[in-house]
Amino acid sequence: MELTTFFQQLINGLQLGAIYALIALGYTMVYGIIRLINFAHADFLMVGAFAVYFFASFILTLTNAIPPIILFILGLIVALVAGALIAELSNRLAYKPLRYKPRLSALITAVGVSMFLEYFFASLPFIGPSFRAFPDLLKPVSFVVGGVYLNNIQLLDIGLAIVLMILLTFIVNRTMMGKAMRAVSQDKDAAKLMGINVERTITFVFLIGGALAGAAGILMAMTYPRIYPNMGILPGLKAFVAAVLGGIGNIPGAMLGGFLLGIAEIYATSYNSLLGEGIAFAILIIVLLVRPQGLLGEKQSEKV
Amino acid sequence: MKKVWRNLPTLRLLIYAVALYILLMLLSSGGILNDYLMIIINICLIYVILATSLNLINGITGLFSVGHMGFAAVGAYVAGTFTTLVWKLPNDGSVSTTLLFIVALVLGGIGAAIVGALIGMPALRLKGDYLAIVTLGFGEIIRTIINNIDAVGGPRGLLGIPALSSFTIIFVATVVTVLILRYLVYSSHGRAMISVREDATAADLVGINTTKYKVWAFVIGAFFAGIGGGLLAHLIQLAHPTQYGFYASFLVLIVVYIGGVGSMTGSILAAFVLTILEKYLLPMLLQWAGLGVEWRMVIYSLLLIIVMIYRPEGLMPREAKFMIPEDH
Amino acid sequence: MRNSRKAFVVVVLVIGLLAMVVGCAAPSTPTPTPTATASSPTPTPTTPPPGGDIIIGCVAPLTGDSATFGKSTQNGVQQALDETNAKGGLLGGRQLILKTADDKSDPTEGAAGITRLIEQDKIVAEIGTVQSKVSLAIAPILQAKKIPMVSPTSTNEKVTLVGDFIFRACFIDNFQGTVGAAFAYTNLKVTKAAALFDVGNDYTKGLAESFRDAFTLLGGTIVGFEAHPTGATDFNAQLTKLIAAGPELLYLSDYYNDVGLICKQARALGYKGYFLGGDGWDSPDLVKIGGADVEGGFFTNHFSKDDTRPEVQTFVKAYTAKYGEAPDALAALAYDAANLMLDAITRAGSTDGTAIRDALKTSNFKAVSGTIKFDANRNPIKAAVIIEIKGGQQAYKATVAP
């Protein structure tokens, strides 16, 4: 492989990894606190993307004079709010009643919520199952550095993923709410005894997790400007793998897992496209066999 | 007399099965159950095989596998390869063809069981959600590999499979599967599997080889899933990689959990109820309500959520009496 | 407790069986589907003609990933039926009724759906389905029941080989690839080309392979041949590799939504050459997704909306008026498939399957996608057109006869 190609693929990998990392952050937050693989997380992303789509289309029919950067920031806010709302709604209606029931019923419910969102959106007459072109919020600008092509949206993806990770780490480690989150994650009952409002903490986590999904949704839609109700399934699955890879429940781990997976997938694909398709799961299986707690996860001793 | 009847559950199960078979055959030959309804019943029966075999892994042994259709895919492709490419069986339904078809089904089951053993290995180290995601990954890898084997059609699918899955064969296969699994669950091996589910450490301490039973659960579950896959392929006369994705696996999982995890009766019942609901009643209901067919899966997934919230243990969490063999 | 459980089992089983028996015993209750009632005003004959309505079946993916294609197909068939109904129906005033079944892009669903249409709706002919994998599951059932089928868009060669009741209205896989290769080599004077396709989709794979073979045969060089998984959104890895090999043309056999993304990503990686593809490109959304980056791309298609033939113009106008959007290739082919079938029913003079089949074999029909005759394997012999994306619109470029 030539050197420019090598670096080009590295950039490609970082971009893909940034998308995975953004989705993985949300997965890891929710899993960390209630031990639920929230299969519907990838569909919160889709909800966020559609919310921005309708918002931006509406604004653009009113005026074309709005500066792109303002439009993007407004869009981002819409995505965060839409993602947070749909996540909390799912939590309230579907997950909360099952909080103290067997975990696997909650997991099956998550599959149900995921299917419901996908099919519901596909059935709504004004959305439908088909693909939609996502409007350009920011004008794509490409530039060449030493034969390697970069563009502004790639940099935005990578930058925002890192910023959000730092922000989350700060919230979890430095705030009272973060402390409550960690306590609930370790032992719900003990946390309750310590005067922590467990349900409020979980709600907070779902709001943050949903907002992250919304952010991932708008960035994914800007990077790959084609949205449809099933858009979250495949990246969601890969992002979950990324979260497990990094050590599920661990925020920097989700980030690391996302980037590693993105880069590995790009290089594997450029070697052989068949290999690229299976690499995510192959890596996952190997890592879990060698280090079941993931790369940055802490080893949990088995309770007897 | 009544007491004898109650004390011979196996006999009762067989009598129920034969009665159901005769009833369905009569309805079918009388033209009341037309070919369409028979296809739906056949699919129900195949779902019984898939769901009860998954229940052995998830319900009885307490593991969590979500890639069950991957095993079915192996069964479908192995059996299909033998009947279609190797033996080139005709569509005549003669005795020799049927015998070869049964051999092909068993070979498909064995192929799936070998894959099951491979997938069972990570189960030795992983639990719960982690195992779930690994089995899901394995299922996708199997599909990817099939997609890339041109000898069995690649993305085109394995075509021209003879229509050998008659109602009788599917029915017999289903009853045999249920009988074997039922016998197994209540044998000492089954008790050992349940002990793995309840408390693996304690089971280890009393000398049960938990490692062995975890792998065996996967091997046996995969074997029957392979049989189910083989039957499906010979029912619709083709096998296609997209039929065996993780969504298809979820549908089997839903049958097991709505029926009641750990309950074979629940799996059997839910396989019928859900398949008939999804393929038959919902489309009819929607047409009556003037809604488009696209709302079918919306209602289906909503029902799933509601059942899980109000009855998380499933519709039939405990076995019916005839599903429990003598002396239990 | 035990008794209540037992009662529960019995009740559920009985209800299930009853529902099936009842639902089956009364399928002829005239509850027309919403699509059927949506038909345009039809002159009702004063005395109902003998034989009653003619029921036409259409299995199509109405939900799931390919629902867009299913909707177009259904619309196209409905349009053909409505037009004939408005002219007074067939065989002495008998009205046409469309019965649809959703196959969810799943062969099992397709097999169940077509059996339902045959058994409960008593269809006399089937138009569908979209994907080859599902057509291959429904074709043997129709063949066994001697009911003719015209698939609008199943391009896999094996579909019509199932039996002599199975026809199609589109080209088979290798024709489009061959036409594309000839256009690239002769008209665009390209000697180095590369291809990218969906490995999980037999249609895109078949097209890419036939392009590769035909292009090599003409004397060109294929410098790269890469696959991507179904549902992928990121094609950068494959594109970086392909572009590094220096092709003058990229052959993209994917559907429009993937093609839009691929073109965007290829241009962002500095690719300057041509894009060429197949009929999967035919959608107004291609330009919406791909923007300026698909400008100047070429694709092979069944018809051009600019074609001045009256068949095309009448159809495009009527379809646009009814559905609020211009017809794509799927709608046009479904319309053609339905009209081929209706023409055959007229010439057969009956709704008997064997008679319709014999009439279909001798078809010589002026369809939207050209004049259609069938060859010995029941594939249509017709020309392809090449379309260029110009100023965000589709512009007719050339016609290539087989």
Side-chain angles (χ1 to χ4, degrees):
Chain A
M1 199 187 291
E2 273 181 61
L3 209 58
T4 42
T5 312
F6 177 82
F7 279 109
Q8 183 68 59
Q9 296 290 28
L10 185 65
I11 294 290
N12 296 341
L14 283 172
Q15 176 194 334
L16 186 62
I19 300 280
Y20 289 159
L22 273 167
I23 309 172
L25 284 175
Y27 262 124
T28 239
M29 292 280 292
V30 171
Y31 187 91
I33 196 150
I34 54 168
R35 299 279 179 270
L36 167 71
I37 303 180
N38 183 13
F39 276 107
H41 187 76
D43 303 293
F44 301 163
L45 171 159
M46 176 271 294
V47 174
F50 268 99
V52 181
Y53 169 81
F54 285 112
F55 170 77
S57 309
F58 177 67
I59 296 281
L60 289 173
T61 52
L62 291 182
T63 169
N64 263 329
I66 188 161
I69 188 74
I70 305 284
L71 186 61
F72 167 69
I73 290 172
L74 287 177
L76 185 61
I77 294 170
V78 169
L80 294 172
V81 171
L85 285 182
I86 190 75
E88 174 52 16
L89 201 66
S90 313
N91 175 37
R92 213 35 88 75
L93 297 179
Y95 302 147
K96 194 175 164 190
L98 288 164
R99 197 81 78 217
Y100 296 95
K101 296 279 167 53
R103 261 170 58 203
L104 295 182
S105 340
L107 190 67
I108 301 290
T109 310
V111 172
V113 172
S114 165
M115 280 170 59
F116 174 76
L117 285 174
E118 283 155 22
Y119 284 107
F120 184 65
F121 270 65
S123 301
L124 288 174
F126 58 93
I127 291 178
S130 63
F131 304 94
R132 274 158 196 267
F134 194 77
D136 275 337
L137 300 181
L138 294 177
K139 197 125 201 77
V141 184
S142 298
F143 37 94
V144 190
V145 182
V148 176
Y149 285 81
L150 295 162
N151 66 56
N152 52 345
I153 292 176
Q154 272 170 346
L155 299 182
L156 183 72
D157 290 342
I158 300 169
L160 206 65
I162 293 172
V163 168
L164 286 174
M165 183 208 73
I166 294 171
L167 198 69
L168 276 184
T169 317
F170 176 80
I171 292 177
V172 171
N173 290 335
R174 293 290 147 87
T175 62
M176 279 311 280
M177 195 36 115
K179 216 174 215 174
M181 279 156 59
R182 280 179 287 146
V184 173
S185 146
Q186 287 206 340
D187 190 332
K188 271 204 274 288
D189 297 323
K192 204 178 258 167
L193 291 175
M194 291 296 155
I196 292 171
N197 186 336
V198 172
E199 276 309 319
R200 218 184 58 168
T201 313
I202 294 177
T203 293
F204 185 74
V205 169
F206 266 94
L207 287 174
I208 292 191
L212 282 169
I218 185 177
L219 287 180
M220 208 180 126
M222 287 169 70
T223 318
Y224 312 110
R226 166 192 72 174
I227 61 173
Y228 58 107
N230 289 353
M231 66 184 277
I233 298 179
L234 206 62
L237 208 60
K238 300 269 181 66
F240 182 77
V241 169
V244 176
L245 185 62
I248 195 148
N250 184 305
I251 290 166
M255 190 81 190
L256 181 71
F259 279 117
L260 278 182
L261 192 68
I263 292 168
E265 193 177 315
I266 292 280
Y267 279 121
T269 305
S270 73
Y271 183 70
N272 178 319
S273 45
L274 163 63
L275 200 62
E277 209 178 332
I279 192 83
F281 297 110
I283 291 183
L284 174 82
I285 290 165
I286 294 166
V287 168
L288 284 183
L289 288 180
V290 179
R291 205 180 148 80
Q293 71 272 32
L295 294 176
L296 299 186
E298 278 162 39
K299 196 167 175 71
Q300 285 176 338
S301 57
E302 207 169 307
K303 283 177 198 159
V304 179
Chain B
M1 186 61 208
K2 201 171 175 194
K3 196 168 175 199
V4 175
W5 175 244
R6 191 178 291 163
N7 287 338
L8 288 171
T10 311
L11 183 67
R12 274 171 65 200
L13 175 60
L14 283 174
I15 289 174
Y16 288 153
V18 171
L20 184 64
Y21 177 77
I22 292 173
L23 177 72
L24 289 174
M25 276 309 250
L26 280 177
L27 288 174
S28 156
S29 56
I32 297 176
L33 286 178
N34 60 30
D35 283 5
Y36 168 54
L37 298 170
M38 287 313 280
I39 279 203
I40 291 191
I41 290 176
N42 282 331
I43 295 174
C44 287
L45 291 169
I46 291 173
Y47 260 98
V48 170
I49 297 180
L50 294 172
T52 47
S53 58
L54 178 61
N55 209 344
L56 181 76
I57 303 175
N58 285 22
I60 307 300
T61 320
L63 302 167
F64 196 64
S65 165
V66 292
H68 209 54
M69 281 311 252
F71 303 136
V74 175
Y77 271 87
V78 171
T81 304
F82 275 102
T83 57
T84 314
L85 303 177
V86 182
W87 299 329
K88 299 193 173 56
L89 292 185
N91 230 336
D92 58 1
S94 66
V95 177
S96 61
T97 312
T98 310
L99 285 178
L100 276 178
F101 174 47
I102 292 169
V103 174
L105 282 178
V106 172
L107 287 173
I110 292 172
I114 293 170
V115 176
L118 278 176
I119 297 182
M121 298 298 175
L124 308 180
R125 296 201 52 171
L126 302 173
K127 283 192 181 166
D129 313 344
Y130 285 86
L131 184 60
I133 209 76
V134 165
T135 52
L136 198 154
F138 259 121
E140 288 298 288
I141 288 176
I142 292 173
R143 205 172 57 83
T144 308
I145 290 173
I146 292 174
N147 228 343
N148 286 280
I149 303 178
D150 278 330
V152 293
R156 255 161 234 195
L158 185 55
L159 309 176
I161 298 179
L164 298 173
S165 289
S166 65
F167 167 65
T168 305
I169 288 187
I170 295 180
F171 194 91
V172 171
T174 310
V175 173
V176 170
T177 305
V178 168
L179 278 175
I180 293 179
L181 288 175
R182 169 177 173 274
Y183 170 77
L184 182 74
V185 169
Y186 289 96
S187 70
S188 62
H189 300 295
R191 303 288 99 181
M193 286 176 174
I194 292 175
S195 77
V196 172
R197 171 185 78 193
E198 295 299 330
D199 192 333
T201 318
D204 254 334
L205 288 176
V206 296
I208 290 171
N209 187 344
T210 51
T211 310
K212 184 178 99 182
Y213 283 109
K214 282 180 184 171
V215 175
W216 271 107
F218 267 101
V219 169
I220 297 168
F223 175 82
F224 286 109
I227 301 274
L231 288 169
L232 184 65
H234 290 81
L235 178 69
I236 59 165
Q237 304 178 43
L238 95 164
H240 199 276
T242 53
Q243 289 174 280
Y244 301 100
F246 62 88
Y247 250 65
S249 296
F250 279 159
L251 290 182
V252 183
L253 202 66
I254 288 171
V255 170
V256 171
Y257 281 81
I258 291 229
V261 63
S263 156
M264 292 289 172
T265 321
S267 293
I268 297 169
L269 204 66
F272 275 93
V273 171
L274 291 181
T275 310
I276 293 174
L277 185 74
E278 195 245 337
K279 297 217 187 307
Y280 189 77
L281 291 180
L282 275 182
M284 236 168 51
L285 215 65
L286 286 169
Q287 187 175 336
W288 174 77
L291 280 171
V293 63
E294 61 268 25
W295 290 93
R296 165 167 66 154
M297 291 308 284
V298 178
I299 297 176
Y300 187 78
S301 49
L302 210 55
L303 277 178
L304 169 68
I305 298 173
I306 291 171
V307 170
M308 276 296 120
I309 289 177
Y310 292 102
R311 217 179 146 84
E313 70 276 19
L315 296 176
M316 282 285 294
R318 294 172 64 191
E319 299 286 2
K321 186 82 163 98
F322 63 83
M323 282 301 292
I324 303 171
E326 292 78 0
D327 311 323
H328 282 283
Chain C
M1 179 60 204
R2 184 178 301 134
N3 276 332
S4 74
R5 261 191 294 131
K6 200 154 66 184
F8 180 65
V9 179
V10 172
V11 165
V12 168
L13 281 179
V14 167
I15 289 177
L17 264 176
L18 268 182
M20 295 185 85
V21 171
V22 168
C24 152
S28 49
T29 30
T31 35
T33 55
T35 48
T37 49
S39 60
S40 52
T42 47
T44 26
T46 41
T47 46
D53 297 330
I54 300 175
I55 318 289
I56 305 286
C58 175
V59 177
L62 301 173
T63 58
D65 285 344
S66 303
T68 332
F69 307 137
K71 284 263 165 14
S72 284
T73 302
Q74 199 189 345
N75 290 349
V77 176
Q78 186 72 54
Q79 177 74 23
L81 264 51
D82 287 353
E83 284 175 9
T84 306
N85 279 339
K87 284 180 202 149
L90 281 188
L91 305 181
R94 291 168 70 179
Q95 290 288 296
L96 299 164
I97 300 223
L98 178 64
K99 291 282 181 185
T100 56
D102 176 21
D103 66 40
K104 292 207 280 182
S105 304
D106 175 2
T108 318
E109 293 278 336
I114 193 65
T115 322
R116 191 187 87 214
L117 294 180
I118 294 170
E119 296 291 336
Q120 298 192 181
D121 297 317
K122 311 284 181 207
I123 58 168
V124 300
E126 151 73 9
I127 313 295
T129 174
V130 174
Q131 290 137 309
S132 297
K133 61 179 178 185
V134 189
S135 287
L136 282 161
I138 70 172
I141 298 171
L142 288 158
Q143 177 70 27
K145 299 269 181 186
K146 297 194 185 311
I147 295 173
M149 151 175 162
V150 178
S151 166
T153 48
S154 294
T155 51
N156 186 330
E157 203 180 345
K158 296 263 170 66
V159 172
T160 56
L161 298 180
V162 167
D164 58 350
F165 281 81
I166 315 299
F167 297 74
R168 82 177 101 218
C170 56
F171 324 115
I172 53 176
D173 278 338
N174 58 32
F175 179 64
Q176 276 198 78
T178 313
V179 168
F183 177 76
Y185 192 79
T186 330
N187 298 43
L188 299 177
K189 313 257 181 266
V190 162
T191 53
K192 286 198 292 182
L196 177 61
F197 60 94
D198 181 345
V199 70
N201 185 312
D202 56 340
Y203 156 77
T204 70
K205 192 173 179 223
L207 237 59
E209 283 169 352
S210 64
F211 173 84
R212 175 191 63 191
D213 297 344
F215 193 72
T216 319
L217 209 66
L218 288 167
T221 322
I222 296 289
V223 294
F225 195 70
E226 289 290 320
H228 69 79
T230 307
T233 48
D234 192 297
F235 308 94
N236 283 318
Q238 292 93 335
L239 287 170
T240 302
K241 190 177 173 189
L242 289 177
I243 293 166
E248 301 161 273
L249 178 138
L250 274 181
Y251 189 74
L252 308 172
S253 51
D254 273 302
Y255 292 113
Y256 66 93
N257 63 81
D258 284 339
V259 169
L261 289 184
I262 293 172
C263 292
K264 252 192 146 81
Q265 289 171 21
R267 293 286 188 231
L269 288 168
Y271 173 69
K272 303 277 191 294
Y274 290 112
F275 294 120
L276 175 67
D279 59 342
W281 283 36
D282 188 11
S283 161
D285 286 340
L286 172 69
V287 178
K288 287 190 205 155
I289 295 169
D293 295 326
V294 294
E295 190 68 23
F298 299 97
F299 67 98
T300 47
N301 203 2
H302 308 269
F303 84 115
S304 160
K305 295 176 197 76
D306 302 337
D307 198 326
T308 48
R309 280 184 299 131
E311 299 91 274
V312 181
Q313 284 315 312
T314 324
F315 167 65
V316 173
K317 212 172 285 171
Y319 187 96
T320 314
K322 183 160 182 179
Y323 299 107
E325 56 183 21
D328 53 13
L330 283 119
L333 287 170
Y335 179 78
D336 281 355
N339 277 327
L340 272 167
M341 190 66 89
L342 300 182
D343 171 63
I345 293 175
T346 313
R347 285 185 292 113
S350 90
T351 55
D352 174 61
T354 315
I356 302 175
R357 175 202 64 185
D358 294 337
L360 267 173
K361 279 185 179 165
T362 57
S363 287
N364 186 357
F365 185 73
K366 280 193 175 170
V368 168
S369 60
T371 302
I372 295 182
K373 286 182 196 172
F374 287 106
D375 69 9
N377 287 330
R378 295 162 300 282
N379 296 314
I381 309 168
K382 59 177 183 180
V385 294
I386 295 197
I387 290 175
E388 182 179 3
I389 309 286
K390 224 181 203 170
Q393 299 291 325
Q394 296 187 1
Y396 169 80
K397 180 85 182 168
T399 301
V400 185

